[in-house]
Amino acid sequence: MINEVKDLLKKHNITLAAHYYQKDEIFDIADLTGDSLELAKKTVNLKNPLIFCGVSFMGESAKILNPSIPVYMPKLASCSMARMAEEEKVKRDIETLKKENIDFIPICYVNSSAKIKAIVGELNGSICTSSSADKIIKWAIDQNKKVYFLPDKNLGTNMAKKLGLKSKVIGEDNWQEADIICFDGHCSVHQLFMPEHVEFYKEKYPDIKIVVHPECSPEVCEKADFIGSTSQILNYVKAHPNEKMAIGTEFNFVNRMKRDINPNIYILSSTKPECPSMNETTLKELYELLKAIDKEKPYNEIIVEENIAKNALKALNKMLEIVK
Ligand code: 13P
Ligand code: SF4
């Protein structure tokens, strides 16, 4: 099947983008790979059709940033954290912030729907990714504003600690006093990593390095030796190819680094931390989509309503401008 897939990609001059959490069968044949920020940047100037293997917000972001090309996804798999940020809940939070006369800038993690990004764009806020969240928060704080951070309370809290700021989840005691006011969302995969997993590995191998994604809880991040986005984790592993490490992020990615770079890698959890949404995409699904494109009957083309795309683009461009 793999050769047929490669032939069809070539025949239709399609670029294949894949996030690190994709299955090896997809990731190993992708033209573009990276963390969320890198993938967004890499797809901006493409001229040919794109197939994006990841979760829906990634395909949507690519389409919003580059509306002139068709963007397809083998599966429209939605990230569970992005789903938590429902429009009604976000609007309710914004009303609460306004009622309390809080002078804030909304900063929205890229793991969110286009609709939520558009709300943030309309309010002159910015998108951030796990690798750019610190810079984007600093941009807002430097304007003497508070930050309404959504949807990941862990990323918001971990960045607050990194920057020496106070954070609270909206509605908690004295939440109005915080510099970063977080929406109450989280990642169902990264919540699997527990402080006791860190303690277990540190006791067993006193010299082990604990490496985690900032979507992990603050209790886990506090005990880590390195916290970073997927690309930052990859660079850390490449720089330490012989050290024992326990890594707290998605299984496909960690297992691939163990296979290709450092055999002394352990998974930092007692259960397999697979992202069900990322794992919906398979080589077979990709092949089916390519066959449909070949028969001029494509499906799962990403379409974003014009007004939503306009405001979401404003928020995405703000991020690209700040990180450039
Ligand atoms: P990165 O931007 O670090 O690749 O993270 C994406 C993601 O969904 C992590 O769960
Ligand atoms: Fe979403 Fe978590 Fe999966 Fe990342 S790992 S795509 S945040 S559910």
Side-chain angles (χ1 to χ4, degrees):
M1 196 192 306
I2 190 134
N3 289 332
E4 283 91 336
V5 166
K6 284 183 182 169
D7 288 348
L8 285 168
L9 285 167
K10 203 165 172 195
K11 178 174 173 191
H12 293 280
N13 192 23
I14 292 172
T15 299
L16 185 67
H19 186 262
Y20 290 120
Y21 293 169
Q22 288 292 293
K23 289 178 184 294
D24 291 346
E25 62 189 22
I26 300 278
F27 186 86
D28 291 346
I29 57 164
D31 305 299
L32 305 178
T33 60
D35 66 12
S36 305
L37 181 62
E38 291 167 339
L39 283 168
K41 283 183 177 169
K42 285 179 184 175
T43 54
V44 170
N45 295 318
L46 285 179
K47 300 273 180 284
N48 49 329
L50 174 68
I51 293 185
F52 206 120
C53 296
V55 282
S56 299
F57 74 77
M58 296 180 169
E60 265 182 4
S61 298
K63 180 68 188 178
I64 294 165
L65 285 164
N66 192 348
S68 62
I69 58 164
V71 177
Y72 304 100
M73 298 188 80
K75 288 295 279 187
L76 299 174
S78 78
C79 156
S80 63
M81 183 202 293
R83 276 203 308 271
M84 282 179 202
E86 291 167 14
E87 198 180 347
E88 285 320 302
K89 284 190 188 159
V90 172
K91 285 188 171 163
R92 211 183 308 138
D93 277 4
I94 291 172
E95 278 314 303
T96 306
L97 288 158
K98 285 184 177 166
K99 261 194 220 141
E100 297 275 339
N101 289 321
I102 289 177
D103 192 13
F104 70 97
I105 295 184
I107 296 181
C108 181
Y109 191 27
V110 71
N111 296 34
S112 53
S113 68
K115 262 193 187 157
I116 299 300
K117 289 186 177 76
I119 293 175
V120 168
E122 259 188 303
L123 292 170
N124 299 316
S126 176
I127 302 306
C128 75
T129 61
S130 56
S131 60
S132 63
D134 50 354
K135 278 200 194 84
I136 312 285
I137 290 172
K138 210 174 161 304
W139 159 80
I141 296 289
D142 284 350
Q143 298 175 59
N144 284 323
K145 306 271 190 186
K146 289 188 185 265
V147 169
Y148 170 49
F149 192 88
L150 67 159
D152 187 8
K153 64 176 175 192
N154 288 340
L155 182 62
T157 307
N158 290 325
M159 290 302 122
K161 288 198 171 174
K162 182 173 179 184
L163 297 168
L165 299 167
K166 256 201 221 165
S167 69
K168 288 268 181 181
V169 171
I170 191 163
E172 277 179 357
D173 285 350
N174 304 323
W175 64 270
Q176 296 91 335
E177 290 166 18
D179 307 298
I180 303 181
I181 299 160
C182 301
F183 179 92
D184 194 3
H186 65 270
C187 163
S188 48
V189 181
H190 288 85
Q191 73 164 0
L192 294 173
F193 306 106
M194 300 288 178
E196 47 269 36
H197 298 139
V198 178
E199 279 144 27
F200 167 80
Y201 277 109
K202 284 202 163 168
E203 213 164 280
K204 196 164 177 198
Y205 308 111
D207 58 341
I208 201 164
K209 294 280 179 275
I210 305 295
V211 177
V212 300
H213 193 277
E215 287 174 14
C216 292
S217 73
E219 293 77 17
V220 167
C221 288
E222 263 164 29
K223 292 177 182 288
D225 297 288
F226 183 80
I227 307 169
S229 74
T230 49
S231 282
Q232 290 165 338
I233 291 177
L234 178 62
N235 290 335
Y236 183 88
V237 171
K238 283 182 181 163
H240 303 86
N242 302 311
E243 262 184 72
K244 264 195 197 67
M245 290 181 202
I247 305 189
T249 194
E250 212 276 339
F251 178 82
N252 291 330
F253 176 46
V254 179
N255 207 39
R256 187 179 309 120
M257 290 189 289
K258 185 181 170 79
R259 179 193 75 182
D260 296 344
I261 311 169
N262 181 347
N264 305 307
I265 285 178
Y266 298 87
I267 304 271
L268 183 71
S269 72
S270 41
T271 47
K272 197 175 176 187
E274 278 184 310
C275 173
S277 319
M278 285 283 183
N279 276 278
E280 277 189 41
T281 306
T282 61
L283 189 64
K284 187 169 178 301
E285 303 279 357
L286 173 60
Y287 185 36
E288 293 304 323
L289 173 61
L290 283 163
K291 282 195 290 187
I293 291 172
D294 196 45
K295 287 185 188 133
E296 294 179 14
K297 285 193 165 55
Y299 56 85
N300 289 355
E301 180 173 356
I302 306 296
I303 309 286
V304 185
E305 200 218 292
E306 209 180 333
N307 202 37
I308 290 178
K310 188 184 100 196
N311 286 313
L313 179 63
K314 208 173 140 194
L316 278 160
N317 277 339
K318 180 58 78 185
M319 167 180 75
L320 295 178
E321 190 190 309
I322 299 167
V323 298
K324 81 170 176 266

